[in-house]
């Protein structure tokens, strides 16, 4: 008898693949944001996602899988827009945090968005099990441990940037948590996954495109080296590969396994950061372990 069923094995593979893709993408995002700018970086990712998604939509129409647009009340569309704007601000905050601090510190803090979503779900009537409540408590303990490891002997500018990165990471977790709660609780059950993704990428592309267009004559911006656009493309494709892995894993019917394993992306990000010369204290390692454990417990259904 095999140790794991074929369905479970496939879910494990897709979950780990998602963690690897997202983890490497997050580790590279800081360099991209510092080189081409936070807004341009996020705009590039949004535009790339919209283009890839548009190809899939066209294919689905011609293949007969998509024949009609989902019908929904105006309030649902309004909440979809609100969720898209909130998650967009989360992406901008996360990119800003990565541009300022160590990816191994920023990524685990952002991963705690699940705790925000959980709290909001409880406030709107969802009942949690003992394991999920314990996971929420563990996350609350882990985040301060990660944030506490600022090197007081470092240069004052480095200390300031590290502390700013923590606050931006906390803001990104809050924005992602609220946005995913809005989308998952009110929008996804009505519109479905594909329309929700289209709305999210369209809103991000339009809002950031308009913002960048207004500053197109800003002479203070430094020219961007060619390698930075190649790195941005690689980072964007890795993010889309992570999303595709989660979507493919969901088709196996073992979504809980896929989502729990995908949270290991923060560990991958930390490992890549260490390979690039970043350092973490023992307290931060303890906080990372606590956050990963807590987030995994939150996602156990």
């Amino acid at each position: 008898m095999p140790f794991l069923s074929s369905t479970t094995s496939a879910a494990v593979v897709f979950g780990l693949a998602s963690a690897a893709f997202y983890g490497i993408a997050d580790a590279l995002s800081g360099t991209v944001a510092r080189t081409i700018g936070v807004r341009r970086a996020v705009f590039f990712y949004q535009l790339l996602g919209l283009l890839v998604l548009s190809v899939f939509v066209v294919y689905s129409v011609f293949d007969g899988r998509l024949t009609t647009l989902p019908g929904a009340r105006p309030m649902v569309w309004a909440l979809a827009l609100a969720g898209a704007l909130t998650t967009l601000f989360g992406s901008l905050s996360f990119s800003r945090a990565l541009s300022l601090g160590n990816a191994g510190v920023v990524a685990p803090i952002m991963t705690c968005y699940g705790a925000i979503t959980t709290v909001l779900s409880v406030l709107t009537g969802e009942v949690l099990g003992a394991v999920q409540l314990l996971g929420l408590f563990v996350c609350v303990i882990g985040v301060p441990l990660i944030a506490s490891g600022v090197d007081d002997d470092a240069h004052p500018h480095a200390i300031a940037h590290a502390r700013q990165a923590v606050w931006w990471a906390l803001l990104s977790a809050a924005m992602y948590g609220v946005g995913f709660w809005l989308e998952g609780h009110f929008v996804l059950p009505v519109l479905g996954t594909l329309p929700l993704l289209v709305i999210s990428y369209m809103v991000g592309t339009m809002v950031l495109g308009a913002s960048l267009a207004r500053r197109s004559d800003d002479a203070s911006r430094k020219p961007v080296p060619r390698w930075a656009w190649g790195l941005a493309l690689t980072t964007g494709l890795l993010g889309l590969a992570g999303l595709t892995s989660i979507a493919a894993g969901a088709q196996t019917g073992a979504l809980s396994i896929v989502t729990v394993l995908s949270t290991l992306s923060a560990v991958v990000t930390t490992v890549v950061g260490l390979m690039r010369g970043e350092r973490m204290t023992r307290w931060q390692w303890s906080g990372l372990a606590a956050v990963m454990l807590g987030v995994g417990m939150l996602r156990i259904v």
Side-chain angles (χ1 to χ4, degrees), residues 66-77 186-192 195:
L66 183 63
T67 56
T68 59
L69 292 175
R73 294 180 291 112
M75 180 58 70
V76 174
W77 294 105
F186 300 103
V187 182
L188 185 60
V190 180
L191 297 183

Side-chain angles (χ1 to χ4, degrees), residues 94 97 101-113 138-151 162-167 169-170 173 263 266-267 269-270 278-295:
F94 184 47
N102 288 351
V105 173
V106 170
I109 294 176
M110 182 278 296
T111 306
C112 289
Y113 71 82
V138 172
C139 283
V140 171
I141 294 176
V143 169
L145 291 176
I146 297 176
S148 66
V150 178
D151 186 3
R163 289 173 176 166
Q164 290 174 25
V166 169
W167 285 110
L170 288 170
T263 61
V267 177
T269 301
T270 302
E278 295 181 1
R279 294 292 181 266
M280 294 179 63
T281 67
R282 288 179 294 178
W283 287 113
Q284 288 176 317
W285 279 113
S286 301
L288 173 64
V291 166
M292 290 296 94
L293 176 61
V295 170

Side-chain angles (χ1 to χ4, degrees), residues 151-235:
D151 186 3
D152 293 329
D153 295 328
H155 192 277
H157 288 298
I159 296 175
H161 283 176
R163 289 173 176 166
Q164 290 174 25
V166 169
W167 285 110
W168 280 109
L170 288 170
L171 181 59
S172 71
M175 292 296 101
Y176 276 135
V178 173
F180 290 148
W181 170 72
L182 287 172
E183 293 175 342
H185 195 75
F186 300 103
V187 182
L188 185 60
V190 180
L191 297 183
T193 303
L194 184 58
L196 180 60
L197 289 175
V198 171
I199 292 172
S200 180
Y201 281 119
M202 283 186 64
V203 168
T205 302
M206 293 173 63
V207 170
L208 291 177
S211 175
L212 290 170
R214 289 187 308 179
R215 299 187 61 183
S216 59
D217 58 347
D218 187 354
S220 65
R221 292 190 305 184
K222 298 179 181 180
V224 177
R226 292 181 180 179
W227 63 264
W229 293 113
L231 185 61
L233 177 61
T234 301
T235 304

